[in-house]
């Protein structure tokens, strides 16, 4: 039987809405859209780059619990209310994904809270290993 388990981050949103930060399904790890909230304090920076950094810390924690890393990410989606905020985040995103080169999409859309400036969602495959060169 294929392993299926939920990974929770402690975000109050997970409890209030009824979802998991990530779901492990066999070798696949589906990480929910993750914003720049620090879940320990439920605070969020006003700066989009700092939010992107926190998003990635939150995602990395979920990936680690799922026994994988950014090197296992095969798909990433970036969601931003203001497309002008995307380019300032590129150096932060490149640090995590520049060598991995996952398939990626950026969408401009409204987010659930006006303080949120970026949301990132990833899919990873635990058996993928390092990206070929």
């Amino acid at each position: 039987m294929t392993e299926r388990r939920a990974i929770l981050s402690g975000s109050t949103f997970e409890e209030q809405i009824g979802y998991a930060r990530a779901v492990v399904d066999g070798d696949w790890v589906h990480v929910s859209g993750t914003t720049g909230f620090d879940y320990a304090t439920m605070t969020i920076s006003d700066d989009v780059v700092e939010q992107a950094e926190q998003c990635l810390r939150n995602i990395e924690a979920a990936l680690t619990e799922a026994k994988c890393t950014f090197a296992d990410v095969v798909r990433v989606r970036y969601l931003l209310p203001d497309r002008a905020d995307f380019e300032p985040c590129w150096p932060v995103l490149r640090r995590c994904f520049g060598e991995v080169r996952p398939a990626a999409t950026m969408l401009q859309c409204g987010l659930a809270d006006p303080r949120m400036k970026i949301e990132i969602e990833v899919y990873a495959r635990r058996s993928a290993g390092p990206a070929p060169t």
Side-chain angles (χ1 to χ4, degrees):
M1 182 170 196
T2 301
E3 172 195 15
R4 186 179 192 286
R5 69 180 171 94
I7 294 173
L8 303 176
S9 68
S11 163
T12 57
F13 298 126
E14 294 167 3
E15 182 62 31
Q16 292 167 348
I17 299 169
Y19 70 97
R21 175 63 38 221
V23 173
V24 177
D25 187 11
D27 287 335
W28 288 98
V29 180
H30 305 268
V31 181
S32 294
T34 302
T35 63
F37 272 93
D38 177 333
Y39 298 130
T41 61
M42 286 309 290
T43 58
I44 191 167
S45 171
D46 289 333
D47 181 74
V48 68
V49 174
E50 289 177 15
Q51 285 193 28
E53 290 169 343
Q54 185 64 51
C55 288
L56 294 168
R57 283 192 293 272
N58 295 340
I59 290 168
E60 184 175 36
L63 291 172
T64 299
E65 189 169 336
K67 297 182 176 50
C68 60
T69 70
F70 285 117
D72 298 305
V73 172
V74 296
R75 180 79 163 117
V76 60
R77 283 190 187 88
Y78 305 106
L79 308 157
L80 295 94
D82 183 351
R83 68 177 175 233
D85 281 343
F86 191 45
E87 191 170 350
C89 296
W90 291 358
V92 172
L93 304 174
R94 190 170 39 251
R95 280 198 298 272
C96 291
F97 300 118
E99 297 295 318
V100 181
R101 305 276 180 161
T105 302
M106 180 276 189
L107 298 168
Q108 181 179 356
C109 61
L111 298 179
D113 182 314
R115 297 173 293 173
M116 298 171 179
K117 296 183 178 189
I118 186 169
E119 185 169 333
I120 303 172
E121 169 187 83
V122 304
Y123 299 109
R125 186 160 180 238
R126 293 192 292 181
S127 61
T133 54

